[in-house]
């Protein structure tokens, strides 16, 4: 289990000491946002490649992050700035803001400890479930409440700061396609392609990072109205994001390299004025999950693996044929990203890459992504956090028609097999009857020919 492996911070520090390492890169798992781990690393005389513990604590707590965003002048989703004491407090607060509302883990991330509540009748169970999930995932059961924004886009801004006071943003990523509040497809830039919106959101993200005295790579997440282009601060991820490859492919900036040099005390290698966005990139998170069963995990052994390749195709994966996908870890097995000069070209390249990709032995999200890359709403850039639910509704009639066609084909096949079986049985019976009527062995043609020749010789003499 993760609690006995990569979440054992003291073991990681011990390994770093034994190996002579000077720094630890925590990746993008839960340790990457663990302030206690950051302090322990510093106390051990090592460098954590990430933000300081104080910034993690401030922005890692969703309620204190909201307060910091408000202080920085950023618009926030209406909601509480303190944890809720009870389900009754949640009910009273929800009544003030109006339903629907969202309950969220204070220490949360990755969609854990979140519950959408449509009415007061759902508060008790949603509150208990959110607390339980938050405690299991983060060791903190605290939850807070936000007004749910209906059909919003989920757009995030990548920021970077060094220890010399420089803070820049690297543009936006569109992350609206989600299941269980966790992203599955990301793009850079957003299909909105609004330079003014990018500038306003980028400026707000930079101010929030400055208010937090932030250092390193981080992401400010916003909800955006597709109608009014208004945006609201959602939360900050104090780490490198899973979806960072799409930003790297469009900006040409190696974010991991930049993390390491900034942690070593160097200046950022670029300024805000240096940044340019070229083309478009799309990423699909390949999960060991069954999309036809509500994305249930599909653990097991990978029996065969064929990876896509080619220009502007990037697969960040760590599995191989024979590898075991465990129930103890996140089911993400690969991040597949493609780049194109236009969004359409990036999507067409992704289609080819997905068609080349093959994983045997387990269920994956690959077939699901192949369908989405050909979906009319997706191609039109009509995205929001409810996209997958609508997508499934759109494909349901086609799926039923396919099922009916398959049922018809199965019925025809069964009828044909019955006819064939009856014909074979009839032929077998005829052969048996013929065999019984002619019990004598057949006369040899060689013997007949021999007899004719013998008789002919006798006639000559």
């Amino acid at each position: 289990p993760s609690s006995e492996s990569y979440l054992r911070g003291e073991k990681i520090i011990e390994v770093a000491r034994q190996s002579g390492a000077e720094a630890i890169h925590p990746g993008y798992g839960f340790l990457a946002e663990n302030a206690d781990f950051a302090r322990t690393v510093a106390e051990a005389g090592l460098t954590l490649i990430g933000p300081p513990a104080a910034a993690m604590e401030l922005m890692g707590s969703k309620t204190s992050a909201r307060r910091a965003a408000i202080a920085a002048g950023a618009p926030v989703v209406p909601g509480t700035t303190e944890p809720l004491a009870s389900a009754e407090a949640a009910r009273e607060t929800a009544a003030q803001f109006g339903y629907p509302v969202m309950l969220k883990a204070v220490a949360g991330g990755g969609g854990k400890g979140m519950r959408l509540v449509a009415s007061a009748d759902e508060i008790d169970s949603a509150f208990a479930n959110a607390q339980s999930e938050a405690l299991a995932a983060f060791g903190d059961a605290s939850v807070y409440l936000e007004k749910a924004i209906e059909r919003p886009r989920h757009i995030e801004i990548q920021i970077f700061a060094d220890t010399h006071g420089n803070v820049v943003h690297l543009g936006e990523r569109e992350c609206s396609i989600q299941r269980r509040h966790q992203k599955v497809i990301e793009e850079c830039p957003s299909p909105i392609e609004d330079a003014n919106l990018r500038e306003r959101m980028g400026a707000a993200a930079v101010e929030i990072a400055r208010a937090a005295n932030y250092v390193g790579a981080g992401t400010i997440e916003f909800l955006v109205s597709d109608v009014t282009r208004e945006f609201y601060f959602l939360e900050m991820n104090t780490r490198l994001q899973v979806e960072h490859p799409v930003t790297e492919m469009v900006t040409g900036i190696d974010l991991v390299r930049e993390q390491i040099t900034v942690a070593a005390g160097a200046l950022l290698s670029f300024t805000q004025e240096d940044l340019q966005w070229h083309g478009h990139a799309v990423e699909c998170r390949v999960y060991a999950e069954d999309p036809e069963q509500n994305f249930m995990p599909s653990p097991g052994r990978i029996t065969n693996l064929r990876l896509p390749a080619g220009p502007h195709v990037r697969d960040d994966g760590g599995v191989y044929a024979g590898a075991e996908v465990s129930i103890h870890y996140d089911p993400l097995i690969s991040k597949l990203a493609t780049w194109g000069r236009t969004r359409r070209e990036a999507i067409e390249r992704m289609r080819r890459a997905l068609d080349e990709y093959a994983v045997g032995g387990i269920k994956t999200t690959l077939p699901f992504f192949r369908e989405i890359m050909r979906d009319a709403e997706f191609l039109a850039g009509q995205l929001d956090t409810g996209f997958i639910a609508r997508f499934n509704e759109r494909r349901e009639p086609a799926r039923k028609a396919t099922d009916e066609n398959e049922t018809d084909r199965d019925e025809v096949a069964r009828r044909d097999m019955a006819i064939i079986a009856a014909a074979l049985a009839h032929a077998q019976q005829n052969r048996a009857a013929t065999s019984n009527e002619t019990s004598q062995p057949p006369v040899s043609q060689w013997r007949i020919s021999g007899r004719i020749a013998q008789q002919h010789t006798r006639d000559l003499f």
Side-chain angles (χ1 to χ4, degrees):
S2 57
S3 60
E4 297 299 322
S5 55
Y6 68 84
L7 291 183
R8 292 286 298 275
E10 72 279 6
K11 293 292 186 183
I12 295 174
I13 292 172
E14 181 182 335
V15 170
R17 281 173 167 164
Q18 291 177 358
S19 66
E22 299 177 0
I24 296 174
H25 194 304
Y28 41 69
F30 290 138
L31 272 187
E33 297 183 281
N34 188 313
D36 291 336
F37 178 66
R39 287 196 183 89
T40 306
V41 170
E43 290 167 0
L46 300 167
T47 298
L48 181 75
I49 300 175
M56 279 191 196
E57 282 184 330
L58 176 65
M59 302 309 291
S61 165
K62 308 309 177 189
T63 49
S64 63
R66 284 171 59 83
R67 292 194 295 270
I70 292 170
V76 300
V77 178
T80 62
T81 55
E82 298 292 340
L84 295 164
S86 64
E88 186 56 38
R91 184 179 291 102
E92 292 175 0
T93 306
Q96 295 173 14
F97 290 114
Y99 292 93
V101 298
M102 187 75 78
L103 292 174
K104 295 185 176 182
V106 168
K112 304 294 185 183
M114 293 178 62
R115 291 293 185 277
L116 179 65
V117 185
S119 68
D121 296 338
E122 301 174 7
I123 281 284
D124 288 338
S125 62
F127 187 82
N129 291 335
Q131 279 196 321
S132 175
E133 192 170 279
L135 182 62
F138 313 111
D140 182 354
S142 303
V143 298
Y144 71 104
L145 182 146
E146 284 182 348
K147 171 67 177 171
I149 306 299
E150 298 188 64
R151 296 193 64 165
R153 285 181 181 263
H154 186 140
I155 298 178
E156 62 190 26
I157 300 290
Q158 175 72 59
I159 62 98
F160 226 115
D162 61 24
T163 55
H164 304 276
N166 300 303
V167 186
V168 300
H169 75 84
L170 292 89
E172 82 279 10
R173 291 187 289 257
E174 174 78 59
C175 305
S176 297
I177 301 182
Q178 306 176 5
R179 59 98 179 90
R180 294 195 294 273
H181 307 295
Q182 192 172 43
K183 307 156 193 170
V184 293
I185 297 177
E186 300 95 359
E187 301 184 50
C188 179
S190 166
I192 291 178
E193 277 288 10
D194 186 329
N196 178 262
L197 179 63
R198 176 187 298 149
E199 183 179 344
R200 290 189 291 124
M201 293 178 67
V206 166
E207 289 306 311
I208 293 170
R210 288 191 186 280
N213 294 315
Y214 198 82
V215 174
T219 301
I220 311 292
E221 301 194 353
F222 296 95
L223 293 180
V224 179
S225 168
D226 207 19
V227 178
T228 64
R229 295 292 191 265
E230 292 178 310
F231 60 90
Y232 305 92
F233 171 79
L234 185 62
E235 63 185 24
M236 182 176 191
N237 288 305
T238 56
R239 56 174 168 80
L240 189 69
Q241 291 284 77
V242 174
E243 59 273 17
H244 73 273
V246 292
T247 296
E248 292 184 332
M249 297 175 88
V250 170
T251 63
I253 304 293
D254 185 332
L255 297 181
V256 178
R257 180 183 185 278
E258 205 71 24
Q259 280 188 298
I260 295 170
T261 57
V262 165
L267 288 161
L268 283 173
S269 66
F270 56 92
T271 65
Q272 192 68 63
E273 290 71 27
D274 294 332
L275 282 167
Q276 294 184 19
W277 293 267
H278 300 284
H280 198 98
V282 179
E283 177 182 281
C284 292
R285 299 191 191 188
V286 183
Y287 284 100
E289 295 180 340
D290 185 355
E292 302 306 321
Q293 300 297 325
N294 197 29
F295 295 93
M296 289 295 292
S298 176
R301 185 174 298 277
I302 296 175
T303 56
N304 65 283
L305 180 67
R306 185 181 70 223
L307 300 177
H312 308 302
V313 175
R314 171 175 169 174
D315 182 69
D316 290 7
V319 298
Y320 52 89
E324 187 78 22
V325 178
S326 170
I327 62 173
H328 299 297
Y329 301 94
D330 188 281
L332 179 67
I333 61 175
S334 166
K335 300 183 300 178
L336 178 63
T338 59
W339 178 91
R341 291 167 296 178
T342 64
R343 183 174 186 262
R344 183 73 187 203
E345 185 175 271
I347 290 171
E348 289 174 350
R349 189 163 279 142
M350 178 61 77
R351 288 177 184 170
R352 178 184 62 76
L354 289 168
D355 289 343
E356 288 181 10
Y357 214 137
V359 183
I362 59 172
K363 297 283 188 179
T364 72
T365 49
L366 288 170
F368 182 73
F369 293 143
R370 292 181 189 122
E371 287 190 57
I372 286 184
M373 291 298 137
R374 293 167 171 82
D375 179 70
E377 277 196 23
F378 176 77
L379 295 176
Q382 298 172 3
L383 312 178
D384 60 65
T385 55
F387 176 87
I388 287 182
R390 294 197 310 278
F391 172 73
N392 285 333
E393 289 175 2
R394 289 195 300 277
R395 64 201 285 251
E396 189 62 28
R399 188 186 305 175
K400 285 182 178 178
T402 300
D403 290 342
E404 290 172 359
N405 289 337
E406 289 179 353
T407 300
D408 292 343
R409 284 196 296 269
D410 290 344
E411 183 60 35
V412 170
R414 281 193 293 269
R415 187 169 63 247
D416 289 348
M417 290 173 65
I419 293 171
I420 292 169
L424 289 172
H426 181 69
Q428 183 67 29
Q429 290 173 354
N430 287 341
R431 281 196 298 271
T434 302
S435 176
N436 291 333
E437 291 172 2
T438 57
S439 57
Q440 297 296 324
V443 179
S444 169
Q445 295 298 317
W446 288 104
R447 181 177 294 177
I448 294 173
S449 297
R451 287 177 179 174
I452 292 172
Q454 187 181 34
Q455 185 64 44
H456 183 64
T457 302
R458 286 176 181 174
D459 291 344
L460 290 174
F461 294 98

